[in-house]
């Protein structure tokens, strides 16, 4: 397992987690993404199996398989890359100005088209709202970018159902030939989980996985966010893999007693999978919910 510290978070993160469904032809096998030696606590694996069983052939699973759930950033920077470090800094801080009015459109629906077939109509976001999602500050004394025009177009995006072509607002950035793209359609509502969440720390210290941070090109490993405190040896994330799902369950390694500062540290944890992720759903064992894609405290979570 690979761990890489990302940041210290001064508050609890609200986890939305993605899950895979348990196959009906047999039990799943656990893969260990943690640093701690030994087997996972029986209560943790039991909870993971309960979540997988609850999702299997459930109404929630059917709704998930028919919905539009982005698994990549809704904001896509210019394809050519930023010309300077100042421009990159302006993008990352959202210091982006508008030099002209944005277009209005009477179109209220956009169509998501999957590469392997199938489509879905979803509400279309107005250009102004799309602009505000990445233009978060307006400080003329710091490096900034300027939007000079916008039009409705398309982009490609990874979703829970594979690659899709989706409507997007294309924003012209002063000094750049390629546009900044912002996905213009909203995700489907999340289905109600078919199982109740457990309290944090229940089931021998089970914790939530906060987010999906990335997937290997071959789909054989995933990187997720997990949290721990200042008085332990870091997060441990394990996966219960089945033909239909991957249920992630997190804990911490070697928690120490005694005085400890109150802080929550998020780290990236990379897990190797027994089989490629493919279209299996990622679920969080503690909450029973799908795991969203996203950067910590980022402006564009994959769904709300």
């Amino acid at each position: 397992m690979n761990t890489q510290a990302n940041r210290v978070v001064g508050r609890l993160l609200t986890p939305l987690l993605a899950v895979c469904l348990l196959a009906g032809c047999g039990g799943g096998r656990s893969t260990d993404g943690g640093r701690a030696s030994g087997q996972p606590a029986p209560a943790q694996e039991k909870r993971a199996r309960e979540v997988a069983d609850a999702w299997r052939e459930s109404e929630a699973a059917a709704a998930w398989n028919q919905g539009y759930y982005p698994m990549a950033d809704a904001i896509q920077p210019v394809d050519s890359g930023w010309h300077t470090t100042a421009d990159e800094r302006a993008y990352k801080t959202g210091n982006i100005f508008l030099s002209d009015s944005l277009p209005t459109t009477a179109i209220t629906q956009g169509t998501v088209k999957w590469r392997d077939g199938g489509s879905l109509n979803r509400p279309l976001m107005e250009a102004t709202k799309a602009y505000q999602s990445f233009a978060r500050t307006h400080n003329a004394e710091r490096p900034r970018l300027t939007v000079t025009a916008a039009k409705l177009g398309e982009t490609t995006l990874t979703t829970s159902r594979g690659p899709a072509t989706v409507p997007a607002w294309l924003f012209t950035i002063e000094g750049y030939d390629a546009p900044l793209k912002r996905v213009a359609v909203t995700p489907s509502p999340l289905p109600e989980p078919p199982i109740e969440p457990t309290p944090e720390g229940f089931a021998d210290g089970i914790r939530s996985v906060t987010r999906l941070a990335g997937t290997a090109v071959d789909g054989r490993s995933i990187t997720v966010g997990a949290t721990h405190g200042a008085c332990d040896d870091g997060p441990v994330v394990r996966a219960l893999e089945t033909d239909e799902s991957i249920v992630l369950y997190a804990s911490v390694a070697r928690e120490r007693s005694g005085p400890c500062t109150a802080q929550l540290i998020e780290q990236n944890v990379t897990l190797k999978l027994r089989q490629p992720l493919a279209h299996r759903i990622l679920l969080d064992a503690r909450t029973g919910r799908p795991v969203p894609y996203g950067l910590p405290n980022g402006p564009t979570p994959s769904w709300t």
Side-chain angles (χ1 to χ4, degrees), residues 9 35 44 47 84 87 106 149 263 302:
V9 184
R35 291 186 290 160
Q44 294 179 7
R47 169 64 183 180
T84 66
D87 284 357
Q263 57 183 305
S302 54

Side-chain angles (χ1 to χ4, degrees), residues 5-192:
N6 268 7
R7 64 182 63 202
V8 175
V9 184
R11 56 180 176 78
L12 285 178
L13 302 173
T14 302
L16 285 174
L17 304 151
V19 189
C20 298
L21 305 174
L22 182 63
C25 57
R29 304 174 67 190
S30 290
T31 56
D32 189 350
R35 291 186 290 160
S37 60
Q39 297 300 314
Q44 294 179 7
E45 186 165 358
K46 178 176 180 290
R47 169 64 183 180
R49 290 184 181 278
E50 289 172 349
V51 170
D53 285 338
W55 274 80
R56 185 199 313 154
E57 298 181 1
S58 66
E59 292 182 4
W64 175 268
N65 291 332
Q66 295 171 8
Y68 161 60
Y69 301 103
M71 300 302 286
D73 282 338
I75 300 171
Q76 300 173 347
V78 295
D79 292 338
S80 57
W82 301 112
H83 294 167
T84 66
T85 55
D87 284 357
E88 183 178 9
R89 185 161 59 252
Y91 170 71
K92 288 182 176 180
T93 59
N95 198 32
I96 303 174
F97 284 62
L98 181 64
S99 67
D100 202 349
S101 59
L102 293 171
T104 59
T105 175
I107 302 173
T108 59
Q109 295 282 317
T111 303
V112 178
K113 302 174 184 177
W114 278 274
R115 184 176 297 174
D116 59 359
S119 64
L120 182 68
N121 289 336
R122 292 296 304 154
L124 193 70
M125 179 185 296
E126 294 181 352
T128 299
K129 186 175 181 180
Y131 166 74
Q132 291 171 347
S133 70
F134 59 80
R136 305 183 303 280
T137 61
H138 299 87
N139 189 332
E141 303 302 318
R142 294 184 178 181
R144 63 178 183 174
L145 297 169
T146 301
V147 170
T148 60
K151 65 179 181 179
L152 192 60
E154 291 182 332
T155 190
T156 56
L157 189 74
T158 301
T159 77
S160 60
R161 294 166 57 179
T165 299
V166 299
W169 287 106
L170 312 182
F171 293 91
T172 301
I173 303 295
E174 187 175 63
Y176 289 85
D177 295 330
L180 183 155
K181 303 174 184 178
R182 204 310 181 180
V183 174
V185 286
T186 59
S188 300
L190 281 175
E192 188 68 25

Side-chain angles (χ1 to χ4, degrees), residues 1 32-36 226-227 234-238 249-254 269:
M1 180 201 76
D32 189 350
R35 291 186 290 160
T227 61
V236 177
V237 180
R238 293 183 172 92
Y249 51 112
S251 58
V252 295
R254 288 177 285 272
V269 179

